[in-house]
Amino acid sequence: MTEKAFRQLNIDPEFKNLIRPLRREEYRQLELNLVMEGCREDIIAWNDTIVDGHNRYEICNKMRIPYGVKELDFPSRDAAIAWICANQLGRRNISEETRKYLIGKQYEVEKKVQRNRNGYNQYRPNPNIAVGRGRPIDEESGRRTAARLGRKYHVSGATVQKYAKYSAALDTIEQNAPELVPHILSGAYKISFENIVALSEMEPEELRALSKKIGKNP
């Protein structure tokens, strides 16, 4: 059992944003549970950076409740992101929009992890340009990754790749109108895949204006 104490950990915004924020009543219930029972679950960290347990970390430090920290060893940042996505996808209380986003995100980072595992990246490209029926190696690797994740999450490989476009579009929207994304991922704003992509292609000023208009008329 991990020894419980207080420890300074880092919070990475990208890691934290992959985790569904608790609703107010959920946060209060977690707060009550921690006060009554202590922190039973370890905070999960990588290189002193939280990958799971942000809310527990915040509450425990605020309430002076000791907690344990379990360090995981990932070969790269992308591997850590893939783990966070898979961990969140194992939970039942995520919206369908969040599920699509996380599957797409996991697909993209796992493709990168696989390329780097083989020793190839943007600085050292793969010298073999094609494989199989003439498809580029990166495309073939992407197909295999999509098929594997599709089997895991009970969707087709093509659907996994579609979710990757969805997550990339949301990441672009987040850069210019970050207030929109939580509403989309929570399911509060019902926007089709095609319209999400269209929003991501808008000029930043136009998107921000539209976001303000939507905010006034939820």
Side-chain angles (χ1 to χ4, degrees), residues 27-72:
Y27 188 91
R28 287 177 176 171
Q29 185 60 56
L30 176 60
E31 195 172 49
L32 179 61
N33 292 345
L34 290 168
V35 169
M36 297 295 291
E37 303 172 8
C39 188
R40 294 184 173 183
E41 291 185 67
D42 290 341
I43 309 296
I44 309 299
W46 170 60
N47 290 343
D48 291 328
T49 299
I50 300 173
V51 294
D52 186 61
H54 293 82
N55 293 301
R56 278 175 281 132
Y57 178 74
E58 178 182 290
I59 294 169
C60 286
N61 280 296
K62 179 176 65 176
M63 299 293 195
R64 302 306 294 168
I65 300 168
Y67 49 86
V69 177
K70 180 180 180 181
E71 282 276 357
L72 297 184

Side-chain angles (χ1 to χ4, degrees), residues 8 13 21 35 52 64 71 75-76 78-79 90 94-95 97 105 108 119-120 126 132 150-151 158 170 182 195 217:
Q8 183 66 42
V35 169
D52 186 61
R64 302 306 294 168
E71 282 276 357
S76 66
D78 286 326
I94 61 173
S95 68
E97 290 77 13
K105 195 77 171 178
E108 286 297 339
Y120 303 114
N126 194 324
R151 289 191 295 272
L170 282 176
N195 285 335
N217 301 282

Side-chain angles (χ1 to χ4, degrees), residues 76-91:
S76 66
R77 180 182 180 84
D78 286 326
I81 291 173
W83 183 92
I84 295 170
C85 291
N87 189 51
Q88 289 298 301
L89 284 162
R91 297 179 175 174

Side-chain angles (χ1 to χ4, degrees), residues 46-172:
W46 170 60
N47 290 343
D48 291 328
T49 299
I50 300 173
V51 294
D52 186 61
H54 293 82
N55 293 301
R56 278 175 281 132
Y57 178 74
E58 178 182 290
I59 294 169
C60 286
N61 280 296
K62 179 176 65 176
M63 299 293 195
R64 302 306 294 168
I65 300 168
Y67 49 86
V69 177
K70 180 180 180 181
E71 282 276 357
L72 297 184
D73 183 21
F74 298 111
S76 66
R77 180 182 180 84
D78 286 326
I81 291 173
W83 183 92
I84 295 170
C85 291
N87 189 51
Q88 289 298 301
L89 284 162
R91 297 179 175 174
R92 298 178 182 178
N93 58 350
I94 61 173
S95 68
E96 183 60 24
E97 290 77 13
T98 296
R99 180 173 176 273
K100 292 176 183 178
Y101 176 81
L102 290 171
I103 291 173
K105 195 77 171 178
Q106 185 177 354
Y107 166 70
E108 286 297 339
V109 294
E110 288 203 8
K111 279 200 304 179
K112 285 196 254 181
V113 169
Q114 184 60 47
R115 284 201 300 269
N116 292 336
R117 184 178 296 144
N118 292 334
Y120 303 114
N121 51 43
Q122 66 268 37
Y123 305 109
R124 181 173 175 258
N126 194 324
N128 302 307
I129 61 171
V131 68
R133 298 176 182 177
R135 289 192 294 265
I137 284 181
D138 278 355
E139 180 183 339
E140 184 70 14
S141 176
R143 288 173 185 271
R144 288 197 297 269
T145 301
R148 175 172 53 78
L149 291 177
R151 289 191 295 272
K152 181 175 182 178
Y153 298 121
H154 309 291
V155 295
S156 69
T159 297
V160 170
Q161 292 177 316
K162 181 178 179 179
Y163 289 170
K165 294 178 182 177
Y166 178 82
S167 67
L170 282 176
D171 284 345
T172 300

